[in-house]
């Protein structure tokens, strides 16, 4: 059996990164909208997440657009990337653990599962994450292979990235493979639409509030963390 894992908010906590992003973006937006309170920002942030933005840049645009409106948000987004976004990238490159950190149970769960099953990664990630999975967090050793969006040119929820993984694993019957991730729109839905099975791991992540919009987005199992996987598989 093959088990494919997402990375962000599945194996790695992004809470520190999201907190720094929200603090920085709030300050940028408040400079343009003086009446903006943190409560208002948090509500806009929640609505933006529920709108199902794609990657990080899409989330920032969605939040800014929600707060400032469609005619004023663009310059704020540019300012955010110049003042905040670039500094977050630099902080990650200097010390990845300040922005991202493996969940406490991740290494143990992967170690146990790798003894019984083939493990892989399907993730929307920068190529540099591979280096840190290998050297900083010592998690890469558990996977037969890792497919990262920047390296292959496909991005979840595109079906091509899942088909690439199935082909690389030489899986003829998709029902023999499982996708394990935090999002219904980029992990659960697209994998199940191909015949794979899926587990949603919530980890109280930003996107854990996004509900399933159709039957195909309903996971076969849903857990609050990775621990139950060792019993399930």
């Amino acid at each position: 059996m093959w088990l494919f894992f997402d990375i962000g908010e599945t194996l790695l906590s992004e809470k520190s990164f999201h907190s720094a992003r929200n603090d920085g973006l709030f300050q940028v937006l408040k400079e343009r909208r003086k009446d903006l309170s943190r409560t208002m920002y948090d509500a806009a942030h929640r609505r933006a997440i529920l709108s199902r933005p794609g990657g990080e840049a899409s989330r920032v645009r969605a939040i800014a657009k929600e707060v400032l409106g469609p005619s004023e948000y663009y310059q704020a987004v540019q300012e955010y990337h110049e003042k905040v976004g670039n500094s977050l990238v630099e902080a990650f490159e200097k010390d990845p653990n300040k922005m991202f950190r493996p969940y406490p149970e991740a290494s143990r769960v992967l170690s146990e599962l790798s003894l019984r099953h083939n493990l892989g990664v399907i993730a929307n990630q920068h190529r540099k994450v591979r280096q840190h999975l290998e050297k900083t967090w010592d998690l890469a050793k558990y996977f037969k292979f890792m497919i990262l969006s920047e390296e292959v040119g496909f991005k979840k929820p595109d079906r091509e990235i899942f088909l690439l993984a199935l082909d690389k694993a030489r899986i003829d019957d998709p029902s023999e493979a499982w996708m394990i991730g935090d999002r219904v729109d980029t992990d659960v839905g697209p994998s199940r639409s191909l015949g794979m099975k899926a587990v949603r791991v919530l980890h109280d992540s930003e996107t854990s509030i996004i509900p399933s919009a159709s039957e195909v987005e309903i996971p076969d199992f849903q857990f609050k963390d990775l621990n139950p996987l060792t019993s399930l598989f």
Side-chain angles (χ1 to χ4, degrees), residues 121-123 130 145-149 151-152 161 164-165 168:
V121 165
I122 306 174
R130 177 183 294 275
F145 61 83
M146 296 185 287
I147 294 181
L148 306 182
S149 58
E151 294 179 342
V152 300
I161 195 169
L164 179 62
K168 192 173 180 67

Side-chain angles (χ1 to χ4, degrees), residues 38-228:
R38 191 55 189 253
T39 300
M40 293 167 62
Y41 175 88
D42 290 343
H45 170 259
R46 179 182 176 84
R47 290 191 294 271
I49 294 300
L50 288 171
S51 73
R52 300 184 170 211
E56 178 60 21
S58 297
R59 288 190 206 186
V60 169
R61 287 196 300 271
I63 295 167
K65 189 174 183 179
E66 174 72 24
V67 171
L68 299 179
S71 63
E72 300 182 29
Y73 80 98
Y74 180 76
Q75 288 185 334
V77 170
Q78 294 297 108
E79 183 180 351
Y80 164 82
H81 287 302
E82 292 171 2
K83 289 185 175 181
V84 182
N86 291 339
S87 66
L88 294 180
V89 172
E90 291 172 4
F92 168 74
E93 293 179 347
K94 185 176 182 180
D95 183 0
N97 285 312
K98 285 188 176 181
M99 295 288 105
F100 308 102
R101 188 178 295 273
Y103 285 105
E105 75 275 17
S107 182
R108 177 187 58 80
V109 169
L110 291 175
S111 178
E112 289 188 32
L113 292 176
S114 68
L115 297 176
R116 303 192 293 270
H117 305 289
N118 296 308
L119 307 187
V121 165
I122 306 174
N124 291 345
Q125 291 289 344
H126 192 279
R127 65 180 69 246
K128 290 184 179 180
V129 169
R130 177 183 294 275
Q131 170 188 334
H132 293 301
L133 287 169
E134 292 171 349
K135 298 180 180 179
T136 306
W137 301 308
D138 197 30
L139 297 179
K141 63 186 179 184
Y142 300 119
F143 301 109
K144 299 294 185 182
F145 61 83
M146 296 185 287
I147 294 181
L148 306 182
S149 58
E150 189 187 55
E151 294 179 342
V152 300
F154 301 122
K155 187 175 183 180
K156 297 185 299 184
D158 293 345
R159 60 188 284 122
E160 285 81 5
I161 195 169
F162 294 94
L163 291 173
L164 179 62
L166 294 173
D167 181 66
K168 192 173 180 67
R170 298 183 179 179
I171 298 172
D172 296 321
D173 182 359
S175 67
E176 297 176 356
W178 289 74
M179 182 67 208
I180 300 161
D182 63 300
R183 296 187 61 161
V184 294
D185 53 336
T186 59
D187 296 312
V188 176
S191 62
R192 292 192 75 240
S193 71
L194 292 173
M196 298 171 65
K197 297 176 183 177
V199 177
R200 188 184 191 188
V201 180
L202 298 176
H203 273 141
D204 193 29
S205 67
E206 276 195 338
T207 55
S208 66
I209 65 172
I210 299 177
S212 300
S214 62
E215 185 175 351
V216 76
E217 288 189 347
I218 299 175
D220 295 276
F221 295 91
Q222 179 169 292
F223 303 123
K224 67 177 183 179
D225 56 37
L226 296 166
N227 284 307

